[in-house]
Amino acid sequence: MEVEGSSKKMIATQAEMVENKVPIPYRDQCAHLLIPLNKCRQAEFYLPWKCEIERHSYEKCEYELVMERMLQMQKIREEEAKLTQAGKQGVSVPLIPKTANA
């Protein structure tokens, strides 16, 4: 399944995410990495020094998604700035208004 506006594809299916009880806010393009991470966490009783490889790969995936969204937002802001600059250049407001008698 392709997600609009993202370069990453959804690997985990909706059925897999429901089966593995992935919370709805975490059902993104990195959910396929969260499923084995949560299984590892449960097997290792959530010890912080366990499952480091799985956690690192999941956090790297999330970081890449955030950076991608930031770049997209930066491009949107730049396009909006160009449009507002073009709009301001077309309409010029005189600094000294003309009087009726002049």
Side-chain angles (χ1 to χ4, degrees):
M1 176 172 35
E2 185 71 27
V3 178
E4 187 176 330
S6 178
S7 63
K8 293 188 177 211
K9 291 184 179 180
M10 286 291 292
I11 297 174
T13 64
Q14 192 70 18
E16 289 174 340
M17 291 186 279
V18 170
E19 179 184 326
N20 290 295
K21 299 177 184 167
V22 175
I24 292 175
Y26 295 95
R27 295 182 186 183
D28 57 5
Q29 290 91 342
C30 300
H32 67 284
L33 298 170
L34 182 61
I35 292 169
L37 173 61
N38 284 342
K39 286 181 180 178
C40 179
R41 284 175 171 167
Q42 289 174 354
E44 300 293 337
F45 301 106
Y46 290 89
L47 293 173
W49 58 87
K50 301 286 185 172
C51 311
E52 290 180 348
I53 295 172
E54 292 89 349
R55 183 171 48 90
H56 176 72
S57 62
Y58 173 72
E59 288 177 353
K60 182 180 178 194
C61 181
E62 287 291 335
Y63 172 78
E64 289 171 352
L65 283 178
V66 168
M67 294 306 292
E68 186 177 334
R69 287 194 301 265
M70 286 176 57
L71 287 173
Q72 287 176 349
M73 194 63 206
Q74 182 179 3
K75 289 178 184 176
I76 291 170
R77 286 186 181 134
E78 288 173 357
E79 289 174 5
E80 288 178 354
K82 287 179 185 176
L83 290 174
T84 56
Q85 287 295 328
K88 287 182 182 177
Q89 289 175 358
V91 177
S92 62
V93 178
L95 295 176
I96 303 172
K98 295 182 179 180
T99 59
N101 296 333

